């Protein structure tokens, strides 16, 4: 279910890239590589802040992680890198017993 949801989100982002609606935040990310790179770094930093807290709040950590995954996916879609190629790498590492 989780993977299906990410597939759907990727399909929506691809649609936004092909036909950007006015006022779409994702469309701006998809057409501005520097902006999306900055957001990925910002969101990664925010995840780290949450994970480094003395008392990690699971809901807040999940919110920040979701922001990071969303912006990472937008960066990948913008660059034409399929999400499946990321999951393939992870799958191959597991099957190959690299880690
Ligand atoms: N999953 C998301 C998603 N996650 C986060 N964001 C946006 O990312 C933006 C930046 O997040 P920040 O945490 O930096 O928040 P901020 O409001 O900029 O606040 P600051 O911390 O920067 O001051 C916010 O405006 C969020 O709304 C998202 N925007 C869109 N999506 C998905 O993308 C779809 C298409 O979006 P649009 O094309 O924009 O309609 C949506 O239906 C959603 O499914």
């Amino acid at each position: 279910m989780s993977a299906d949801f990410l597939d759907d989100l990727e399909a929506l982002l691809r649609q936004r890239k092909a036909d950007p609606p006015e006022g779409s935040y994702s469309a701006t990310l998809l057409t501005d590589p520097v902006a999306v790179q900055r957001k990925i770094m910002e969101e990664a930093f925010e995840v780290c802040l949450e994970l480094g807290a003395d008392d990690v709040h699971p809901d807040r950590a999940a919110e920040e992680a979701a922001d990071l995954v969303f912006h990472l996916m937008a960066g990948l879609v913008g660059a034409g890198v399929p999400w499946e190629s990321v999951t393939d790498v992870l799958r191959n590492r597991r099957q190959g017993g690299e880690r």
Side-chain angles (χ1 to χ4, degrees):
M1 159 135 178
S2 172
D4 285 351
F5 175 78
L6 291 177
D7 289 345
D8 289 349
L9 182 58
E10 183 188 32
L12 177 62
L13 291 175
R14 283 186 181 162
Q15 217 175 69
R16 291 286 198 257
K17 187 180 175 188
D19 186 15
E22 187 130 354
S24 159
Y25 173 70
S26 348
T28 63
L29 294 174
L30 293 162
T31 53
D32 188 342
V34 173
V36 76
Q37 286 161 31
R38 287 193 175 136
K39 286 303 288 183
I40 292 167
M41 288 189 279
E42 179 191 314
E43 302 301 348
F45 180 67
E46 287 174 7
V47 171
C48 292
L49 284 182
E50 278 303 322
L51 297 180
D54 287 339
D55 182 15
V56 175
H57 192 295
D59 289 347
R60 274 205 303 265
E63 283 276 334
E64 297 302 348
D67 282 346
L68 176 57
V69 171
F70 168 71
H71 287 89
L72 175 60
M73 184 178 270
L76 291 168
V77 169
V81 180
W83 186 257
E84 192 181 18
S85 55
V86 177
T87 55
D88 281 351
V89 170
L90 292 170
R91 192 173 297 110
N92 289 339
R93 284 181 185 165
R94 179 172 175 159
Q95 286 170 351
E98 278 180 35
R99 304 241 160 126

PDB file of all heavy atoms in Angstrom, residues 13-48:
ATOM      1  N   LEU A  13       3.288  13.795  -9.890  1.00  0.00           N
ATOM      2  CA  LEU A  13       4.387  14.754 -10.116  1.00  0.00           C
ATOM      3  C   LEU A  13       4.798  14.776 -11.588  1.00  0.00           C
ATOM      4  O   LEU A  13       5.098  15.836 -12.142  1.00  0.00           O
ATOM      5  CB  LEU A  13       5.578  14.422  -9.214  1.00  0.00           C
ATOM      6  CG  LEU A  13       5.346  14.678  -7.714  1.00  0.00           C
ATOM      7  CD1 LEU A  13       6.531  14.200  -6.891  1.00  0.00           C
ATOM      8  CD2 LEU A  13       5.054  16.147  -7.428  1.00  0.00           C
ATOM      9  N   ARG A  14       4.790  13.609 -12.212  1.00  0.00           N
ATOM     10  CA  ARG A  14       5.115  13.568 -13.656  1.00  0.00           C
ATOM     11  C   ARG A  14       4.082  14.354 -14.454  1.00  0.00           C
ATOM     12  O   ARG A  14       4.420  15.031 -15.425  1.00  0.00           O
ATOM     13  CB  ARG A  14       5.153  12.119 -14.146  1.00  0.00           C
ATOM     14  CG  ARG A  14       6.434  11.419 -13.730  1.00  0.00           C
ATOM     15  CD  ARG A  14       6.483  10.040 -14.355  1.00  0.00           C
ATOM     16  NE  ARG A  14       7.672   9.316 -13.962  1.00  0.00           N
ATOM     17  CZ  ARG A  14       7.815   8.012 -14.067  1.00  0.00           C
ATOM     18  NH1 ARG A  14       6.851   7.279 -14.576  1.00  0.00           N
ATOM     19  NH2 ARG A  14       8.932   7.432 -13.702  1.00  0.00           N
ATOM     20  N   GLN A  15       2.834  14.214 -14.027  1.00  0.00           N
ATOM     21  CA  GLN A  15       1.739  14.957 -14.680  1.00  0.00           C
ATOM     22  C   GLN A  15       1.952  16.467 -14.502  1.00  0.00           C
ATOM     23  O   GLN A  15       1.788  17.243 -15.444  1.00  0.00           O
ATOM     24  CB  GLN A  15       0.442  14.556 -13.990  1.00  0.00           C
ATOM     25  CG  GLN A  15      -0.762  14.430 -14.872  1.00  0.00           C
ATOM     26  CD  GLN A  15      -1.918  13.907 -14.033  1.00  0.00           C
ATOM     27  OE1 GLN A  15      -2.426  14.618 -13.170  1.00  0.00           O
ATOM     28  NE2 GLN A  15      -2.309  12.652 -14.252  1.00  0.00           N
ATOM     29  N   ARG A  16       2.323  16.849 -13.285  1.00  0.00           N
ATOM     30  CA  ARG A  16       2.588  18.276 -13.002  1.00  0.00           C
ATOM     31  C   ARG A  16       3.728  18.802 -13.879  1.00  0.00           C
ATOM     32  O   ARG A  16       3.708  19.941 -14.326  1.00  0.00           O
ATOM     33  CB  ARG A  16       2.967  18.475 -11.539  1.00  0.00           C
ATOM     34  CG  ARG A  16       1.846  18.237 -10.555  1.00  0.00           C
ATOM     35  CD  ARG A  16       0.865  19.385 -10.599  1.00  0.00           C
ATOM     36  NE  ARG A  16       0.020  19.433  -9.447  1.00  0.00           N
ATOM     37  CZ  ARG A  16      -1.254  19.030  -9.410  1.00  0.00           C
ATOM     38  NH1 ARG A  16      -1.793  18.517 -10.492  1.00  0.00           N
ATOM     39  NH2 ARG A  16      -1.957  19.138  -8.310  1.00  0.00           N
ATOM     40  N   LYS A  17       4.712  17.947 -14.097  1.00  0.00           N
ATOM     41  CA  LYS A  17       5.862  18.369 -14.917  1.00  0.00           C
ATOM     42  C   LYS A  17       5.426  18.554 -16.379  1.00  0.00           C
ATOM     43  O   LYS A  17       5.813  19.527 -17.037  1.00  0.00           O
ATOM     44  CB  LYS A  17       6.967  17.316 -14.828  1.00  0.00           C
ATOM     45  CG  LYS A  17       8.258  17.734 -15.489  1.00  0.00           C
ATOM     46  CD  LYS A  17       9.310  16.625 -15.358  1.00  0.00           C
ATOM     47  CE  LYS A  17      10.572  16.957 -16.119  1.00  0.00           C
ATOM     48  NZ  LYS A  17      11.506  15.817 -16.156  1.00  0.00           N
ATOM     49  N   ALA A  18       4.607  17.613 -16.866  1.00  0.00           N
ATOM     50  CA  ALA A  18       4.182  17.658 -18.266  1.00  0.00           C
ATOM     51  C   ALA A  18       3.187  18.784 -18.511  1.00  0.00           C
ATOM     52  O   ALA A  18       3.185  19.404 -19.579  1.00  0.00           O
ATOM     53  CB  ALA A  18       3.557  16.317 -18.649  1.00  0.00           C
ATOM     54  N   ASP A  19       2.352  19.043 -17.510  1.00  0.00           N
ATOM     55  CA  ASP A  19       1.276  20.024 -17.689  1.00  0.00           C
ATOM     56  C   ASP A  19       1.113  20.804 -16.381  1.00  0.00           C
ATOM     57  O   ASP A  19       0.216  20.524 -15.581  1.00  0.00           O
ATOM     58  CB  ASP A  19      -0.017  19.256 -18.027  1.00  0.00           C
ATOM     59  CG  ASP A  19      -1.146  20.197 -18.364  1.00  0.00           C
ATOM     60  OD1 ASP A  19      -0.881  21.388 -18.610  1.00  0.00           O
ATOM     61  OD2 ASP A  19      -2.305  19.733 -18.352  1.00  0.00           O
ATOM     62  N   PRO A  20       2.010  21.776 -16.144  1.00  0.00           N
ATOM     63  CA  PRO A  20       2.008  22.470 -14.848  1.00  0.00           C
ATOM     64  C   PRO A  20       0.821  23.412 -14.657  1.00  0.00           C
ATOM     65  O   PRO A  20       0.683  24.362 -15.433  1.00  0.00           O
ATOM     66  CB  PRO A  20       3.327  23.276 -14.861  1.00  0.00           C
ATOM     67  CG  PRO A  20       3.824  23.242 -16.256  1.00  0.00           C
ATOM     68  CD  PRO A  20       3.072  22.223 -17.040  1.00  0.00           C
ATOM     69  N   PRO A  21      -0.015  23.137 -13.660  1.00  0.00           N
ATOM     70  CA  PRO A  21      -1.139  24.041 -13.415  1.00  0.00           C
ATOM     71  C   PRO A  21      -0.637  25.312 -12.718  1.00  0.00           C
ATOM     72  O   PRO A  21       0.349  25.256 -11.987  1.00  0.00           O
ATOM     73  CB  PRO A  21      -2.045  23.255 -12.455  1.00  0.00           C
ATOM     74  CG  PRO A  21      -1.367  21.990 -12.148  1.00  0.00           C
ATOM     75  CD  PRO A  21       0.004  22.003 -12.733  1.00  0.00           C
ATOM     76  N   GLU A  22      -1.342  26.394 -12.942  1.00  0.00           N
ATOM     77  CA  GLU A  22      -0.988  27.654 -12.291  1.00  0.00           C
ATOM     78  C   GLU A  22      -1.074  27.486 -10.775  1.00  0.00           C
ATOM     79  O   GLU A  22      -2.013  26.875 -10.268  1.00  0.00           O
ATOM     80  CB  GLU A  22      -1.978  28.736 -12.748  1.00  0.00           C
ATOM     81  CG  GLU A  22      -1.602  30.100 -12.262  1.00  0.00           C
ATOM     82  CD  GLU A  22      -1.609  31.115 -13.403  1.00  0.00           C
ATOM     83  OE1 GLU A  22      -1.795  30.710 -14.561  1.00  0.00           O
ATOM     84  OE2 GLU A  22      -1.422  32.289 -13.112  1.00  0.00           O
ATOM     85  N   GLY A  23      -0.068  28.000 -10.077  1.00  0.00           N
ATOM     86  CA  GLY A  23      -0.126  28.005  -8.610  1.00  0.00           C
ATOM     87  C   GLY A  23       0.283  26.688  -7.974  1.00  0.00           C
ATOM     88  O   GLY A  23       0.157  26.531  -6.761  1.00  0.00           O
ATOM     89  N   SER A  24       0.745  25.743  -8.773  1.00  0.00           N
ATOM     90  CA  SER A  24       1.153  24.455  -8.201  1.00  0.00           C
ATOM     91  C   SER A  24       2.560  24.553  -7.618  1.00  0.00           C
ATOM     92  O   SER A  24       3.520  24.886  -8.306  1.00  0.00           O
ATOM     93  CB  SER A  24       1.112  23.375  -9.297  1.00  0.00           C
ATOM     94  OG  SER A  24       1.939  22.283  -8.934  1.00  0.00           O
ATOM     95  N   TYR A  25       2.653  24.258  -6.316  1.00  0.00           N
ATOM     96  CA  TYR A  25       3.959  24.291  -5.650  1.00  0.00           C
ATOM     97  C   TYR A  25       4.879  23.236  -6.263  1.00  0.00           C
ATOM     98  O   TYR A  25       6.050  23.506  -6.528  1.00  0.00           O
ATOM     99  CB  TYR A  25       3.774  24.045  -4.147  1.00  0.00           C
ATOM    100  CG  TYR A  25       5.074  23.888  -3.403  1.00  0.00           C
ATOM    101  CD1 TYR A  25       5.926  24.973  -3.223  1.00  0.00           C
ATOM    102  CD2 TYR A  25       5.461  22.651  -2.877  1.00  0.00           C
ATOM    103  CE1 TYR A  25       7.134  24.830  -2.553  1.00  0.00           C
ATOM    104  CE2 TYR A  25       6.654  22.496  -2.206  1.00  0.00           C
ATOM    105  CZ  TYR A  25       7.491  23.590  -2.039  1.00  0.00           C
ATOM    106  OH  TYR A  25       8.680  23.441  -1.371  1.00  0.00           O
ATOM    107  N   SER A  26       4.350  22.038  -6.495  1.00  0.00           N
ATOM    108  CA  SER A  26       5.213  20.985  -7.062  1.00  0.00           C
ATOM    109  C   SER A  26       5.739  21.384  -8.429  1.00  0.00           C
ATOM    110  O   SER A  26       6.893  21.097  -8.745  1.00  0.00           O
ATOM    111  CB  SER A  26       4.505  19.649  -7.225  1.00  0.00           C
ATOM    112  OG  SER A  26       3.316  19.578  -6.613  1.00  0.00           O
ATOM    113  N   ALA A  27       4.897  22.034  -9.223  1.00  0.00           N
ATOM    114  CA  ALA A  27       5.347  22.432 -10.560  1.00  0.00           C
ATOM    115  C   ALA A  27       6.553  23.363 -10.467  1.00  0.00           C
ATOM    116  O   ALA A  27       7.475  23.262 -11.273  1.00  0.00           O
ATOM    117  CB  ALA A  27       4.206  23.082 -11.326  1.00  0.00           C
ATOM    118  N   THR A  28       6.574  24.234  -9.450  1.00  0.00           N
ATOM    119  CA  THR A  28       7.726  25.140  -9.328  1.00  0.00           C
ATOM    120  C   THR A  28       8.990  24.335  -8.986  1.00  0.00           C
ATOM    121  O   THR A  28      10.064  24.617  -9.500  1.00  0.00           O
ATOM    122  CB  THR A  28       7.508  26.237  -8.257  1.00  0.00           C
ATOM    123  OG1 THR A  28       7.364  25.614  -6.985  1.00  0.00           O
ATOM    124  CG2 THR A  28       6.300  27.088  -8.554  1.00  0.00           C
ATOM    125  N   LEU A  29       8.817  23.316  -8.139  1.00  0.00           N
ATOM    126  CA  LEU A  29       9.978  22.481  -7.781  1.00  0.00           C
ATOM    127  C   LEU A  29      10.508  21.732  -8.997  1.00  0.00           C
ATOM    128  O   LEU A  29      11.711  21.540  -9.162  1.00  0.00           O
ATOM    129  CB  LEU A  29       9.588  21.439  -6.735  1.00  0.00           C
ATOM    130  CG  LEU A  29       9.188  21.915  -5.342  1.00  0.00           C
ATOM    131  CD1 LEU A  29       8.712  20.737  -4.521  1.00  0.00           C
ATOM    132  CD2 LEU A  29      10.353  22.605  -4.651  1.00  0.00           C
ATOM    133  N   LEU A  30       9.567  21.283  -9.845  1.00  0.00           N
ATOM    134  CA  LEU A  30       9.939  20.432 -10.977  1.00  0.00           C
ATOM    135  C   LEU A  30      10.656  21.196 -12.083  1.00  0.00           C
ATOM    136  O   LEU A  30      11.329  20.591 -12.910  1.00  0.00           O
ATOM    137  CB  LEU A  30       8.669  19.769 -11.545  1.00  0.00           C
ATOM    138  CG  LEU A  30       8.024  18.771 -10.578  1.00  0.00           C
ATOM    139  CD1 LEU A  30       6.588  18.486 -10.974  1.00  0.00           C
ATOM    140  CD2 LEU A  30       8.834  17.493 -10.516  1.00  0.00           C
ATOM    141  N   THR A  31      10.495  22.530 -12.056  1.00  0.00           N
ATOM    142  CA  THR A  31      11.119  23.314 -13.132  1.00  0.00           C
ATOM    143  C   THR A  31      12.299  24.134 -12.620  1.00  0.00           C
ATOM    144  O   THR A  31      12.880  24.893 -13.381  1.00  0.00           O
ATOM    145  CB  THR A  31      10.090  24.273 -13.772  1.00  0.00           C
ATOM    146  OG1 THR A  31       9.489  25.044 -12.729  1.00  0.00           O
ATOM    147  CG2 THR A  31       9.025  23.505 -14.531  1.00  0.00           C
ATOM    148  N   ASP A  32      12.613  24.002 -11.335  1.00  0.00           N
ATOM    149  CA  ASP A  32      13.702  24.796 -10.769  1.00  0.00           C
ATOM    150  C   ASP A  32      14.633  23.871  -9.975  1.00  0.00           C
ATOM    151  O   ASP A  32      14.443  23.661  -8.768  1.00  0.00           O
ATOM    152  CB  ASP A  32      13.112  25.902  -9.877  1.00  0.00           C
ATOM    153  CG  ASP A  32      14.177  26.884  -9.405  1.00  0.00           C
ATOM    154  OD1 ASP A  32      15.371  26.544  -9.467  1.00  0.00           O
ATOM    155  OD2 ASP A  32      13.800  27.982  -8.974  1.00  0.00           O
ATOM    156  N   PRO A  33      15.644  23.302 -10.662  1.00  0.00           N
ATOM    157  CA  PRO A  33      16.509  22.324 -10.011  1.00  0.00           C
ATOM    158  C   PRO A  33      17.216  22.877  -8.770  1.00  0.00           C
ATOM    159  O   PRO A  33      17.360  22.159  -7.773  1.00  0.00           O
ATOM    160  CB  PRO A  33      17.548  21.960 -11.084  1.00  0.00           C
ATOM    161  CG  PRO A  33      17.007  22.451 -12.372  1.00  0.00           C
ATOM    162  CD  PRO A  33      16.006  23.526 -12.070  1.00  0.00           C
ATOM    163  N   VAL A  34      17.608  24.138  -8.814  1.00  0.00           N
ATOM    164  CA  VAL A  34      18.313  24.694  -7.649  1.00  0.00           C
ATOM    165  C   VAL A  34      17.350  24.806  -6.460  1.00  0.00           C
ATOM    166  O   VAL A  34      17.698  24.465  -5.323  1.00  0.00           O
ATOM    167  CB  VAL A  34      18.948  26.060  -7.996  1.00  0.00           C
ATOM    168  CG1 VAL A  34      19.518  26.725  -6.762  1.00  0.00           C
ATOM    169  CG2 VAL A  34      20.040  25.874  -9.043  1.00  0.00           C
ATOM    170  N   ALA A  35      16.119  25.241  -6.742  1.00  0.00           N
ATOM    171  CA  ALA A  35      15.131  25.372  -5.658  1.00  0.00           C
ATOM    172  C   ALA A  35      14.860  24.011  -5.017  1.00  0.00           C
ATOM    173  O   ALA A  35      14.798  23.894  -3.786  1.00  0.00           O
ATOM    174  CB  ALA A  35      13.835  25.964  -6.202  1.00  0.00           C
ATOM    175  N   VAL A  36      14.718  22.984  -5.822  1.00  0.00           N
ATOM    176  CA  VAL A  36      14.401  21.669  -5.232  1.00  0.00           C
ATOM    177  C   VAL A  36      15.617  21.117  -4.477  1.00  0.00           C
ATOM    178  O   VAL A  36      15.479  20.508  -3.422  1.00  0.00           O
ATOM    179  CB  VAL A  36      13.827  20.676  -6.278  1.00  0.00           C
ATOM    180  CG1 VAL A  36      14.867  20.111  -7.190  1.00  0.00           C
ATOM    181  CG2 VAL A  36      13.086  19.553  -5.585  1.00  0.00           C
ATOM    182  N   GLN A  37      16.812  21.395  -4.991  1.00  0.00           N
ATOM    183  CA  GLN A  37      18.014  20.949  -4.269  1.00  0.00           C
ATOM    184  C   GLN A  37      18.080  21.604  -2.890  1.00  0.00           C
ATOM    185  O   GLN A  37      18.377  20.958  -1.875  1.00  0.00           O
ATOM    186  CB  GLN A  37      19.276  21.303  -5.062  1.00  0.00           C
ATOM    187  CG  GLN A  37      19.493  20.415  -6.287  1.00  0.00           C
ATOM    188  CD  GLN A  37      20.433  21.047  -7.298  1.00  0.00           C
ATOM    189  OE1 GLN A  37      21.334  21.793  -6.955  1.00  0.00           O
ATOM    190  NE2 GLN A  37      20.195  20.763  -8.565  1.00  0.00           N
ATOM    191  N   ARG A  38      17.767  22.891  -2.846  1.00  0.00           N
ATOM    192  CA  ARG A  38      17.789  23.606  -1.558  1.00  0.00           C
ATOM    193  C   ARG A  38      16.763  23.036  -0.602  1.00  0.00           C
ATOM    194  O   ARG A  38      17.016  22.892   0.592  1.00  0.00           O
ATOM    195  CB  ARG A  38      17.514  25.095  -1.781  1.00  0.00           C
ATOM    196  CG  ARG A  38      18.701  25.784  -2.407  1.00  0.00           C
ATOM    197  CD  ARG A  38      18.556  27.295  -2.349  1.00  0.00           C
ATOM    198  NE  ARG A  38      19.767  27.922  -2.855  1.00  0.00           N
ATOM    199  CZ  ARG A  38      19.795  28.950  -3.693  1.00  0.00           C
ATOM    200  NH1 ARG A  38      18.674  29.487  -4.115  1.00  0.00           N
ATOM    201  NH2 ARG A  38      20.934  29.449  -4.096  1.00  0.00           N
ATOM    202  N   LYS A  39      15.577  22.739  -1.144  1.00  0.00           N
ATOM    203  CA  LYS A  39      14.525  22.205  -0.269  1.00  0.00           C
ATOM    204  C   LYS A  39      14.908  20.816   0.246  1.00  0.00           C
ATOM    205  O   LYS A  39      14.643  20.496   1.398  1.00  0.00           O
ATOM    206  CB  LYS A  39      13.181  22.134  -1.012  1.00  0.00           C
ATOM    207  CG  LYS A  39      12.505  23.458  -1.226  1.00  0.00           C
ATOM    208  CD  LYS A  39      12.248  24.220   0.049  1.00  0.00           C
ATOM    209  CE  LYS A  39      11.154  23.650   0.929  1.00  0.00           C
ATOM    210  NZ  LYS A  39      10.897  24.476   2.127  1.00  0.00           N
ATOM    211  N   ILE A  40      15.526  20.006  -0.591  1.00  0.00           N
ATOM    212  CA  ILE A  40      15.932  18.665  -0.134  1.00  0.00           C
ATOM    213  C   ILE A  40      16.920  18.809   1.033  1.00  0.00           C
ATOM    214  O   ILE A  40      16.793  18.142   2.062  1.00  0.00           O
ATOM    215  CB  ILE A  40      16.550  17.837  -1.286  1.00  0.00           C
ATOM    216  CG1 ILE A  40      15.484  17.499  -2.328  1.00  0.00           C
ATOM    217  CG2 ILE A  40      17.189  16.555  -0.745  1.00  0.00           C
ATOM    218  CD1 ILE A  40      16.041  16.951  -3.651  1.00  0.00           C
ATOM    219  N   MET A  41      17.874  19.720   0.875  1.00  0.00           N
ATOM    220  CA  MET A  41      18.856  19.916   1.954  1.00  0.00           C
ATOM    221  C   MET A  41      18.192  20.465   3.217  1.00  0.00           C
ATOM    222  O   MET A  41      18.473  20.009   4.324  1.00  0.00           O
ATOM    223  CB  MET A  41      19.981  20.838   1.483  1.00  0.00           C
ATOM    224  CG  MET A  41      20.900  20.149   0.493  1.00  0.00           C
ATOM    225  SD  MET A  41      22.374  21.095   0.117  1.00  0.00           S
ATOM    226  CE  MET A  41      21.745  22.231  -1.095  1.00  0.00           C
ATOM    227  N   GLU A  42      17.280  21.406   3.014  1.00  0.00           N
ATOM    228  CA  GLU A  42      16.581  22.005   4.170  1.00  0.00           C
ATOM    229  C   GLU A  42      15.763  20.931   4.901  1.00  0.00           C
ATOM    230  O   GLU A  42      15.804  20.835   6.138  1.00  0.00           O
ATOM    231  CB  GLU A  42      15.660  23.122   3.653  1.00  0.00           C
ATOM    232  CG  GLU A  42      14.860  23.822   4.728  1.00  0.00           C
ATOM    233  CD  GLU A  42      13.774  24.714   4.105  1.00  0.00           C
ATOM    234  OE1 GLU A  42      14.061  25.470   3.145  1.00  0.00           O
ATOM    235  OE2 GLU A  42      12.627  24.646   4.580  1.00  0.00           O
ATOM    236  N   GLU A  43      15.041  20.133   4.127  1.00  0.00           N
ATOM    237  CA  GLU A  43      14.184  19.120   4.756  1.00  0.00           C
ATOM    238  C   GLU A  43      15.030  18.029   5.424  1.00  0.00           C
ATOM    239  O   GLU A  43      14.671  17.519   6.488  1.00  0.00           O
ATOM    240  CB  GLU A  43      13.218  18.498   3.739  1.00  0.00           C
ATOM    241  CG  GLU A  43      12.280  19.482   3.018  1.00  0.00           C
ATOM    242  CD  GLU A  43      11.373  20.285   3.947  1.00  0.00           C
ATOM    243  OE1 GLU A  43      11.277  19.953   5.141  1.00  0.00           O
ATOM    244  OE2 GLU A  43      10.768  21.258   3.476  1.00  0.00           O
ATOM    245  N   ALA A  44      16.167  17.682   4.811  1.00  0.00           N
ATOM    246  CA  ALA A  44      17.048  16.681   5.429  1.00  0.00           C
ATOM    247  C   ALA A  44      17.571  17.205   6.768  1.00  0.00           C
ATOM    248  O   ALA A  44      17.636  16.470   7.765  1.00  0.00           O
ATOM    249  CB  ALA A  44      18.214  16.351   4.496  1.00  0.00           C
ATOM    250  N   PHE A  45      17.905  18.492   6.783  1.00  0.00           N
ATOM    251  CA  PHE A  45      18.387  19.105   8.021  1.00  0.00           C
ATOM    252  C   PHE A  45      17.289  19.056   9.094  1.00  0.00           C
ATOM    253  O   PHE A  45      17.553  18.729  10.261  1.00  0.00           O
ATOM    254  CB  PHE A  45      18.810  20.553   7.726  1.00  0.00           C
ATOM    255  CG  PHE A  45      19.327  21.288   8.912  1.00  0.00           C
ATOM    256  CD1 PHE A  45      20.520  20.919   9.520  1.00  0.00           C
ATOM    257  CD2 PHE A  45      18.620  22.366   9.440  1.00  0.00           C
ATOM    258  CE1 PHE A  45      21.007  21.607  10.624  1.00  0.00           C
ATOM    259  CE2 PHE A  45      19.096  23.052  10.545  1.00  0.00           C
ATOM    260  CZ  PHE A  45      20.286  22.678  11.136  1.00  0.00           C
ATOM    261  N   GLU A  46      16.052  19.346   8.686  1.00  0.00           N
ATOM    262  CA  GLU A  46      14.949  19.337   9.652  1.00  0.00           C
ATOM    263  C   GLU A  46      14.682  17.928  10.192  1.00  0.00           C
ATOM    264  O   GLU A  46      14.378  17.754  11.365  1.00  0.00           O
ATOM    265  CB  GLU A  46      13.689  19.955   9.025  1.00  0.00           C
ATOM    266  CG  GLU A  46      13.847  21.466   8.895  1.00  0.00           C
ATOM    267  CD  GLU A  46      12.713  22.177   8.165  1.00  0.00           C
ATOM    268  OE1 GLU A  46      11.698  21.535   7.841  1.00  0.00           O
ATOM    269  OE2 GLU A  46      12.875  23.384   7.922  1.00  0.00           O
ATOM    270  N   VAL A  47      14.836  16.923   9.335  1.00  0.00           N
ATOM    271  CA  VAL A  47      14.696  15.534   9.816  1.00  0.00           C
ATOM    272  C   VAL A  47      15.774  15.256  10.860  1.00  0.00           C
ATOM    273  O   VAL A  47      15.501  14.699  11.931  1.00  0.00           O
ATOM    274  CB  VAL A  47      14.829  14.511   8.661  1.00  0.00           C
ATOM    275  CG1 VAL A  47      14.909  13.091   9.197  1.00  0.00           C
ATOM    276  CG2 VAL A  47      13.662  14.628   7.695  1.00  0.00           C
ATOM    277  N   CYS A  48      16.998  15.681  10.565  1.00  0.00           N
ATOM    278  CA  CYS A  48      18.103  15.425  11.493  1.00  0.00           C
ATOM    279  C   CYS A  48      17.879  16.124  12.828  1.00  0.00           C
ATOM    280  O   CYS A  48      18.170  15.560  13.885  1.00  0.00           O
ATOM    281  CB  CYS A  48      19.439  15.871  10.889  1.00  0.00           C
ATOM    282  SG  CYS A  48      19.920  14.850   9.497  1.00  0.00           S
TER     283      CYS A  48
END
